[in-house]
Amino acid sequence: MIIKQRPSWAISESEVTPESIYLNRRKFMSGLAVTAAAMAIPGLTQAAENQGKPALNYRKVVDYSTDETATPYSDITRYNNFYEFGPSKEDPARHAGQMVVDPWSVEVEGECARPGRYALEDLLKPHSYQERIYRLRCVEAWSMVIPWVGVPLADILKQLEPTSKAKYVYFETLQNPEQMPGQRSLFSTIDWPYREGLRMDEAMNELSFLAVGLYGKELLNQNGAPIRLVVPWKYGFKSIKSIVKIRFMKERPMTSWEMIAPDEYGFYANVNPEVDHPRWSQSRERRLPSGVFRPNWIETTKFNGYGEQVAGLYKGMDLATFY
Ligand code: MTE
């Protein structure tokens, strides 16, 4: 049963309207993809903290990467939303170690020529990894810059051969209450499993990404190991973690936050400073790391600064109606 109540990410108006300190830079690096070893990656030294995880081979794709300073590894891995492990930001780092991520398989179903259960390594085998440094903007008005490693979502989806009837793609997270304390909680507002979806053209967009690592190494469980979606122009809740199901659909699927509060969290969830959340402004964001004396507020930009790549997907749509 879903108990409708204020989600834990709800923040007060006063918390999200102080002055901006830094302007968001939407500068993109341009040029060819080069090997990671040949490039200085902002904040790469943070990777030292990630010694326990296997390193990944990847090439750095600068075309899609921001040159903004990457958020420290410690913030990316200790300040998380992963309600399966509890509602507070520290819960995922504390509890996600219980999740078994190897072996891992992904069930593929619906409107495609190659349905079935795939071992994760088989799904990934035909592809080489890329690094993309993307901004992540949460609907709660905080943000980070994360050097993800993974594969374009379009490459994986094409391999599954969606039919012309596939208009949407739906994703589900692991459901395992034994390993996920948040799924055992009687106070949870989410009707498990966590669900998300994209329109097919959004999913095939060049920016949509499936991440298996960050800062050059495999994902920690709290960040959605072993495979999670990253849709950088949408609020963070669209970037579903620990995916076990991909379904191609004719109809638009219902998604977890839309099921809880459809007037607050829409299917599209495009980052948009012009459309406020009913209970707080979306015009600014707190860029992590931030603290009481240096909250680090910056302006939020439409489509999280990725308008050049994605604005065309929404041509003619009223983004205040389709929020
Ligand atoms: N995926 C699942 N399965 N469960 C979740 O609670 N939280 C979402 C998204 N993906 C969530 C999820 C939200 S609200 C955000 S902001 C991002 O994950 C946070 O990703 P991060 O913790 O890696 O920064």
Side-chain angles (χ1 to χ4, degrees), residues 9 75-77 79-86 89 92 136-140 142 144 146 148 172-174 180 190 192-196 214 219 222-224 228-229 235-243 257:
W9 66 27
D75 292 279
I76 299 174
T77 57
Y79 187 94
N80 299 103
N81 279 333
F82 201 165
Y83 288 87
E84 285 85 339
F85 297 102
K89 296 286 180 280
L136 174 89
R137 185 2 174 123
C138 180
V139 76
E140 296 167 330
W142 53 263
M144 302 194 196
I146 305 182
W148 300 108
E172 247 176 49
T173 294
L174 176 70
M180 297 175 142
I190 298 177
W192 308 107
Y194 194 98
R195 305 145 210 232
E196 259 310 332
L214 62 84
L219 289 176
Q222 57 263 41
N223 292 104
R228 58 95 50 91
L229 185 65
Y235 291 122
F237 67 85
K238 299 292 291 182
S239 292
I240 182 172
K241 297 177 171 182
S242 307
I243 296 168
W257 287 100

Side-chain angles (χ1 to χ4, degrees), residues 16-25 283-287 294-300:
V16 292
T17 45
E19 76 281 10
S20 148
I21 295 174
Y22 295 107
L23 284 177
N24 196 5
R25 290 180 299 148
S283 66
R284 292 184 171 83
E285 65 202 53
R286 199 166 44 84
R287 171 65 53 85
R294 190 173 172 274
N296 209 13
W297 288 97
I298 59 172
E299 303 291 325
T300 287

